[in-house]
Amino acid sequence: MSPRQLLADVQHAERAGFQMAMCSDHLFPWSARQGHSGYAWSWLGAALATTELPLGCVSAPGQRYHPAVHAQKIATLGQMFPGRFWVALGSGENVNEHVTGEAWPRKDQRVLRLEESVDVIRRLLAGEEVSHEGRITVDRARVWERADPAPLLVGPAVSVESAARVAGWADGLVTINQPFATLRELLAAYRDAGGRGRTSLQVHLSWAPTQEDAERIAVEQWRSNVFSEPVNWDTATTEGFDVASEHVGVDVVREGVRISSDLGQHREWLAEYAELGFDDLYLHHVGQEQAAFVDAFAEEVLPALR
């Protein structure tokens, strides 16, 4: 949806009783059907200024964004809105990063580049002057804005192995809905490796007053998002995702999206996720129209979760 509409939606969500929000930082959508992909950092400034919600963003330093530029953006929002902004730093996806013309590194190299970037960003947020030579190059960088408290640098992880690895540097963990057994193992791996801070789960869901519409929305809007690695990491264009997902049906989409017209069913699913031990649940209705979802879940689902 457009950034303007999404801004109205997050303001609506706050009025309805939602307590926090998050977004992803993309240059391209996963499908032409999604139709928009606004600049997340402009939107975050507007959303933070026009709500009182804590907000977070999943973003990738190292290629499209130099880590010094990333640190300045993070520090500026943190200084303007103390304690309300966090960022989850990931290794990125080719669909967003290929525009620089640089070669797309192997996954192991992207992880090492991310870890170097996180170290640079954290030092810059602490007020240091930083020079660095490695998979990224930094020459006498300094960020003059200081946020107090410094925004949390959260680790996004989908696999158990990634959860254990980000535990070495992250101030918290964010992941997406997966089979319950996988999520239990992922949480345990993060904590066992020394992972600190809050753990968050983004739940992809599709709701509509009828089951037919809930399924139609899920397939139309999310069938390009069902792929696991390396397809999701390495596909370079929106068109590539659309071609790959042309024949994906509702049964496949259902593996990654909780689809139901029954609000009671959504309550049960979300309660099960909460019982796993996550501190925060982020509800992501994959459809373009958010107003009916916001109102229905605020009235029928959120009270039970609280």
Side-chain angles (χ1 to χ4, degrees), residues 289-304:
E289 302 294 331
Q290 297 287 315
F293 152 74
V294 167
D295 288 337
F297 274 62
E299 183 175 350
E300 299 292 340
V301 177
L302 297 190

Side-chain angles (χ1 to χ4, degrees), residues 244-271:
S245 62
E246 184 176 355
H247 301 295
V248 172
V250 67
D251 289 339
V252 175
V253 176
R254 202 185 302 278
E255 294 175 9
V257 181
R258 290 301 203 175
I259 307 171
S260 181
S261 60
D262 182 353
L263 291 169
Q265 176 64 79
H266 283 288
R267 282 195 301 270
E268 291 179 16
W269 282 329
L270 294 170

Side-chain angles (χ1 to χ4, degrees), residues 83 106 128 133 137 165-166 180 204 224 239 268 280:
R106 299 190 314 269
E128 295 183 34
E133 292 184 8
T137 300
R165 180 137 189 169
V166 301
F180 291 115
H204 303 309
S224 302
E239 292 80 6
E268 291 179 16
D280 301 313

Side-chain angles (χ1 to χ4, degrees), residues 35-50:
H36 298 275
S37 194
Y39 185 53
W41 297 84
S42 299
W43 184 86
L44 282 162
L48 285 159
T50 58

